[in-house]
């Protein structure tokens, strides 16, 4: 094993990675409550529909129906970074499962650098202008009204559309953290390898 003291820059990068991981775990904690809120809104929609039909009063509204859809979408989008950190993303690992720890780290490092990070950057770039247009940005540089749901009593579309580049940015940040950890494993940081094994359920299953 290489002496980790030969790579002082990696130690600084690992501190950055640890801070990113902590932030991502806080997002995961927030998602837990978001799921409960989504279920609660969905439960209300069902109860309001049947009770309203029974008593002849309209209790349901497109506001709550679309709010449930928005909350579900937000849960899905915010989960990207958390899923990446904990290795819950789907893999085709016919060979990967039999590789050594460093071989897996090398594959993950290259995949993150050459595929995942560029994907995030491209995704942010291609969604930026549509999001601005949803907020009412016009081709002449002025601002108009923001995009609204075409349904009666619907919610504005701009806020939920803004979550797409934002969540891709969070995924990008976590991708950088993962790349730092994979690089550290390749350089011989066994403590980082153990940290990845602990926080990544897939690696636990492989082992």
């Amino acid at each position: 094993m290489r002496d980790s003291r030969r790579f002082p820059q990696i130690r600084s990068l690992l501190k950055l990675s640890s801070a990113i991981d902590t932030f991502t775990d806080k997002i995961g904690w927030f998602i837990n409550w978001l799921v409960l809120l989504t279920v609660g809104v969905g439960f209300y929609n069902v109860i309001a529909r049947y009770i309203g039909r029974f008593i002849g009063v309209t209790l349901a509204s497109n506001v709550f129906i679309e709010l449930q859809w928005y909350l579900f979408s937000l849960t899905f989008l915010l989960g990207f970074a958390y899923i990446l950190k904990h290795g819950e993303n789907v893999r085709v690992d016919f060979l990967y499962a039999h590789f050594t720890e460093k071989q897996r780290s090398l594959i993950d490092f290259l995949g993150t650098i050459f595929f995942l990070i560029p994907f995030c950057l491209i995704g942010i770039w291609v969604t930026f202008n549509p999001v601005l247009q949803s907020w009412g940005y016009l081709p002449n540089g002025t601002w108009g009204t923001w995009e609204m749901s075409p349904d009666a009593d619907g919610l504005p579309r701009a806020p939920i559309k803004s979550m797409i580049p934002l969540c891709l940015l969070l995924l990008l940040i976590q991708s950088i953290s993962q790349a730092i950890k994979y690089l550290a494993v390749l350089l011989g940081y066994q403590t980082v390898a153990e940290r990845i094994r602990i926080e990544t359920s897939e690696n636990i299953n492989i082992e």
Side-chain angles (χ1 to χ4, degrees):
M1 182 182 71
R2 297 183 183 180
D3 188 352
S4 61
R5 289 173 295 182
R6 297 178 184 176
F7 308 100
Q9 298 86 352
I10 294 296
R11 295 174 62 185
S12 299
L13 290 174
L14 285 173
K15 289 181 180 179
L16 172 63
S17 173
S18 180
I20 294 172
D21 288 353
T22 300
F23 177 70
T24 298
D25 280 333
K26 289 181 185 288
I27 293 176
W29 175 86
F30 174 73
I31 291 173
N32 287 334
W33 292 101
L34 202 59
V35 169
L36 292 177
L37 181 59
T38 305
V39 172
V41 173
F43 180 77
Y44 170 81
N45 286 334
V46 174
I47 296 300
R49 186 181 301 115
Y50 283 99
I51 292 179
R53 191 177 300 170
F54 178 75
I55 65 177
V57 177
T58 302
L59 299 177
S61 170
N62 280 334
V63 171
F64 295 103
I65 294 173
E66 292 195 0
L67 178 61
Q68 180 184 357
W69 172 63
Y70 281 19
L71 290 172
F72 176 80
S73 300
L74 190 57
T75 301
F76 175 77
L77 292 169
L78 286 175
F80 287 166
Y82 186 83
I83 287 171
L84 177 65
K85 176 182 181 293
H86 291 279
E88 298 294 344
N89 50 302
V90 177
R91 295 177 184 270
V92 181
D93 58 357
F94 301 108
L95 299 175
Y96 184 90
H98 302 286
F99 288 162
T100 66
E101 193 169 68
K102 284 196 173 184
Q103 286 174 329
R104 291 200 298 266
S105 294
L106 177 60
I107 291 173
D108 290 335
F109 178 76
L110 294 177
T112 301
I113 293 296
F114 291 109
F115 294 99
L116 183 54
I117 290 178
F119 168 80
C120 293
L121 293 172
I122 293 172
I124 293 170
W125 180 63
V126 300
T127 58
F128 187 75
N129 283 333
V131 168
L132 284 180
Q133 292 170 8
S134 184
W135 282 100
Y137 185 74
L138 301 175
N140 61 8
T142 61
W143 293 87
T145 57
W146 61 1
E147 182 183 3
M148 294 293 298
S149 168
D151 299 320
D153 299 324
L155 296 172
R157 290 284 192 256
I160 191 63
K161 283 189 175 182
S162 300
M163 292 298 103
I164 299 175
L166 175 61
C167 293
L168 284 172
L169 176 61
L170 295 176
L171 180 61
L172 172 64
I173 293 172
Q174 185 59 43
S175 300
I176 294 171
S177 173
Q178 296 301 116
I180 292 171
K181 288 184 285 188
Y182 298 143
L183 178 60
V185 174
L186 292 173
L187 294 176
Y189 283 69
Q190 289 302 315
T191 55
V192 178
E194 180 63 25
R195 173 179 159 192
I196 293 175
R197 281 197 297 269
I198 291 173
E199 68 189 12
T200 306
S201 60
E202 182 189 18
N203 283 351
I204 293 174
N205 293 334
I206 288 173
E207 294 296 327

